Amino acid sequence: MLLVSAERETHYIAAVSQHQTIVNSKVVSEVIAENLHAYEEDLRAAKQINDTLDLIVFPEFGLYDQGSFKSHDQAPNFCLPLEHVNALIAHSGQEVYPKTLQAAEGSACNQKGSVLERMICLARTYSVDIVFNFCDFEICSGDSCPEGTHVWNVDYGLTRFGEVKARYVKSH
């Protein structure tokens, strides 16, 4: 289900995707790919309803099931490496990856690249700000890291130009 606000006097038009996470596989990468495709379909539908859409918000754990990994050592298989995230943020809005982050006419953004790169591609291709949730990880060691990996539940805010404007690390 998709909710689209058409109140232009509020200075923006927003959509909220009430996407139910699709879990048709036990392979996390397949689950993520299928849900990314569904996100693009929701975005396309929202733009058809109102082509001046400014913002779309996707749900927490919309790309993967919260129970997708049983231990932190599985996070490197699908979460975003923190150093990759930091590099994208450092170059945010610059034409660093113009081919991977802008879809060609009629093609999908969910073909290659990290989840963050593919979401940036969607923001640029559909010219809409996006808020979505995913996970980041960092390999670590020492007393502060008993499991060998830090994993974070993160909300991202992207502009229609592909800039990463917000990264909120949830702590509950």
Side-chain angles (χ1 to χ4, degrees):
M1 183 172 167
L2 192 65
L3 304 174
V4 178
S5 169
E7 302 278 336
R8 199 58 178 162
E9 59 265 2
T10 61
H11 307 289
Y12 65 92
I13 297 173
V16 176
S17 170
Q18 294 184 334
H19 170 75
Q20 295 293 315
T21 307
I22 302 165
V23 186
N24 291 335
S25 172
K26 291 185 179 192
V27 180
V28 178
S29 61
E30 291 174 7
V31 169
I32 292 168
E34 193 167 358
N35 285 291
L36 276 168
H37 179 73
Y39 275 20
E40 185 165 13
E41 292 301 314
D42 279 358
L43 187 47
R44 186 177 297 123
K47 288 293 274 190
Q48 286 177 347
I49 293 168
N50 192 324
D51 68 348
T52 60
L53 180 69
D54 295 304
L55 168 70
I56 188 165
V57 179
F58 291 102
E60 181 174 27
F61 300 114
L63 290 173
Y64 65 98
D65 181 53
Q66 186 174 4
S68 292
F69 59 96
K70 306 290 186 253
S71 66
H72 284 226
D73 63 337
Q74 293 178 335
N77 296 328
F78 67 96
C79 293
L80 295 168
L82 189 59
E83 65 272 8
H84 177 71
V85 171
N86 289 336
L88 280 175
I89 291 171
H91 299 309
S92 186
Q94 300 174 21
E95 292 299 319
V96 178
Y97 306 103
K99 291 183 180 162
T100 51
L101 301 185
Q102 183 73 42
E105 187 69 31
S107 70
C109 289
N110 59 3
Q111 303 287 325
K112 296 180 181 176
S114 71
V115 168
L116 183 55
E117 289 170 328
R118 291 182 271 178
M119 294 301 290
I120 288 170
C121 177
L122 289 175
R124 286 183 175 179
T125 301
Y126 291 94
S127 189
V128 66
D129 297 342
I130 296 176
V131 174
F132 77 101
N133 175 265
F134 201 58
C135 56
D136 292 354
F137 80 94
E138 181 178 46
I139 303 296
C140 56
S141 61
D143 293 338
S144 66
C145 188
E147 295 187 59
T149 309
H150 286 300
V151 179
W152 296 279
N153 179 16
V154 181
D155 288 334
Y156 285 94
L158 310 175
T159 70
R160 67 189 64 240
F161 306 109
E163 298 171 305
V164 181
K165 282 294 191 184
R167 179 178 173 269
Y168 174 71
V169 179
K170 301 181 84 177
S171 61
H172 54 74

